[in-house]
Every structure is written in structure tokens, then in C-alpha cells.
Amino acid sequence: MHDDHEHGHDHDGHPHGVSRDADRRWLAIALGVIAAFMAVEVVVGVLAQSLALISDAAHMLTDAAAIVLALVAMRFAARPAGGRYTFGLARAEILSAAANGLSLLLLAGWLGYEAIARLTDPTEVTGWMVVVTGLLGLAVNVLAAWAIGKANRTSLNVQGAYQHVLMDMFASVAATAAGLVVLLTGWARADAVATLVVVVLMIRGGWVLLRESARVLLNAAPAGVRPEAIGVDMLAAEGVVEVHDLHVWTIDSGQAALSAHVLVDEPADCHLVRRELERVLAASHSITHTTLQVDHQVRESADEHCESAHGQVHRR
């Protein structure tokens, strides 16, 4: 410990492992329910010649894969930090979320192509089989969504699996509606139209997952956090004359981190200033994982403390 230099690293309130609320058992229950029904839906979809049912089954396959991927990512993320992985493997969950988002987009592309082909050349569909299977599928997806909802959905990883099941729930609703239309009116194109509705929802869900996981992987500031406002608040602390090299990023879902170089007046106590800054960051911005380098101001600017200042310099 030096009078003019202090590194603060506060660990309170944020475990580096998987969230305590992300219960693997609930995901395993959802996986078992989905896998069992998926096999039934494939058989019925082929017999009924329903693209809506086959697409729902295909989506259930990606649901199962998404949940397996989420479970594997949770296991990796729960490993303690060590060796070269000084943050642990927490971002395995973010990679899982990105993979789930990409799979939604790829599946949407394939189903959209098949649905358009069915619109131009409709295939005869057995309406009652689609309705019955669609209703059963809806019940299964409601149960799976309820189970995953018991886990920690603030995790992008869990949210990725949940989005898959949610899209499948919409697919079951669409398949049931299409089956009713075919059954009552004989309009076979309803099957393809229902599929296209689900495709739109899948594209939206996949894009959101990819966007949010990309923010984490590119070390962007968490959503709703403004680094400029943080810099202003830090500069307002008594004794602080400059804040530079301010970085705010997300380690994994819901775990924000901050580092900064802070210059203070010569009479100020670096240790007291650091503690006050940590209090401000926790109270005003909910950031408790901080690494602060606090120095007395002995030169004029950040440019003379560092070879080059990274980002905006906040100075009195």
C-alpha cells in the first residue's frame, strides 16, 4: 500500500460463477418434456403432411439443443477462475446465447423458404391431426416454458433457451390455427401462412439474442449504463481532479465491471477517495466490481500519466 497509489477491487455482491438462481434441474425437466414430445410430433407431421407440424418439431429439436447447450455452458461458467482464465469461463454462457440466436435465424431462413414454396404449390394437409398435435404441443411448450421460467432468466444463456421454447409455443398456436382453417375451409395454404408468422417471430427473437450477446463479447457498456455520466459523478467526488482510462463492460449477464485511473489533489487521501468512489458507483450505478488506480496529481494531464489516454478524459 502506498500513500499516492491504490488499487481497489471490490468483490461484494457478485459471484464470478453461475447465478445461484439458474437451477439446472428446471432446464433438465424442460429438456425431457420437449424431447419426448418432439418424436411424436415428427411422426404425426409426416403422416399429416403438415409443414407447420414438421417446422414445430424442427424447432423443438433446436429447443432441446439450446437447453443442452445452456446446461453445458452453465457447467463451464461455474468453474472457478484460474490459470489464463482470470475471469473464469463465465462468458461460455454468452457464447451459448449467441449460438442459440444464430440457430433461430438459420432455422427461420429454412422454414421461410419451405413456407414460400408451399404457398406456390400447396400440399394437402390432414387438418384434424394438425389441430390435435398442435394443442398437445402447446401444452408441452407451456410446461417447458414454466420450468425454464423457474431458472434465472436474467442470464442471456437461460434467456436463449427460453426464447427457443417461447417461439415454439407460438409455433404450436400457429399450427393449431392453421389446422382449424384447413379443417373448416379446406384452404391448404393456411399451413404455410402460419409457418411464415412463426418465422417472423423467430427472426426477431434470434436478432435480440445476437445483439445482446454481441454487446457483452465486444465489451460494450451494459444497457442503461452511460459511461459519460459515470465519469461526471466520479469527478464530483471531493478531491478528484481528473478521471481517465474509464472502462465499463459486462463480464457476463448482469455482472458489470469498471476500471479507471483517478487523479486527486495533493492533500487528499487516496484511500478515502477510492472508498468514496466505490460507494458512489455502487449506490448510483449498481457497479460493485471495480478496479480503481488512484494517484496524486503530480503532473498536468492524463497524457503525461499514460502513453495515450483511452476514451474521454474528465477533468475539473
Side-chain angles (χ1 to χ4, degrees):
M1 304 280 283
H2 304 284
D3 291 338
D4 64 345
H5 187 83
E6 169 71 10
H7 291 279
H9 201 161
D10 181 8
H11 288 276
D12 294 339
H14 61 276
H16 280 279
V18 65
S19 168
R20 297 187 187 98
D21 297 326
D23 192 339
R24 296 184 185 91
R25 289 177 299 174
W26 290 111
L27 290 179
I29 290 171
L31 176 61
V33 170
I34 287 172
F37 185 76
M38 178 182 65
V40 174
E41 196 168 35
V42 169
V43 174
V44 177
V46 171
L47 292 176
Q49 299 189 69
S50 169
L51 179 62
L53 281 184
I54 294 173
S55 67
D56 192 28
H59 196 188
M60 276 197 163
L61 177 61
T62 65
D63 292 347
I67 295 173
V68 169
L69 191 60
L71 288 168
V72 172
M74 281 182 177
R75 186 169 294 277
F76 276 112
R79 292 182 179 179
R84 295 184 178 182
Y85 298 97
T86 57
F87 280 110
L89 296 173
R91 284 195 174 174
E93 293 193 274
I94 306 304
L95 292 174
S96 170
N100 283 331
L102 181 60
S103 67
L104 277 173
L105 293 179
L106 292 175
L107 185 59
W110 174 68
L111 292 176
Y113 174 81
E114 291 294 330
I116 291 172
R118 286 286 184 100
L119 281 175
T120 57
D121 184 19
T123 302
E124 184 178 350
V125 176
T126 307
W128 71 267
M129 295 180 71
V130 177
V131 172
V132 172
T133 310
L135 288 173
L136 289 174
L138 179 60
V140 167
N141 284 307
V142 168
L143 178 59
W146 173 80
I148 296 179
K150 291 288 186 179
N152 176 25
R153 280 177 48 208
T154 61
S155 163
L156 269 181
N157 179 43
V158 175
Q159 183 64 16
Y162 183 77
Q163 282 293 324
H164 268 272
V165 173
L166 192 63
M167 291 304 105
D168 205 27
M169 189 187 304
F170 291 140
S172 295
V173 172
T176 303
L180 283 172
V181 171
V182 172
L183 189 62
L184 298 175
T185 69
W187 191 50
R189 287 184 173 87
D191 190 68
V193 171
T195 302
L196 287 175
V197 172
V198 177
V199 163
V200 172
L201 295 174
M202 290 170 66
I203 291 173
R204 181 184 179 279
W207 168 249
V208 169
L209 279 174
L210 280 179
R211 182 189 65 195
E212 294 305 311
S213 54
R215 287 180 60 86
V216 177
L217 295 174
L218 293 175
N219 289 329
V225 173
R226 296 175 54 237
E228 298 83 2
I230 292 176
V232 171
D233 287 349
M234 292 177 69
L235 194 63
E238 185 176 355
V240 176
V241 296
E242 185 175 304
V243 177
H244 59 271
D245 284 355
L246 174 61
H247 303 285
V248 188
W249 70 100
T250 306
I251 299 172
D252 62 5
S253 305
Q255 192 176 147
L258 177 147
S259 66
H261 191 181
V262 181
L263 302 183
V264 299
D265 282 327
E266 186 63 38
D269 186 318
C270 290
H271 306 288
L272 292 178
V273 170
R274 174 183 58 79
R275 286 195 287 270
E276 172 61 16
L277 289 174
E278 288 173 348
R279 186 196 66 78
V280 169
L281 291 169
S284 301
H285 302 281
S286 300
I287 299 176
T288 56
H289 186 117
T290 61
T291 303
L292 300 174
Q293 178 182 340
V294 183
D295 291 318
H296 283 122
Q297 185 186 36
V298 292
R299 294 174 180 167
E300 292 299 322
S301 69
D303 296 334
E304 294 176 328
H305 273 269
C306 312
E307 291 184 5
S308 61
H310 301 282
Q312 184 177 356
V313 176
H314 301 270
R315 184 181 299 133
R316 285 187 188 274

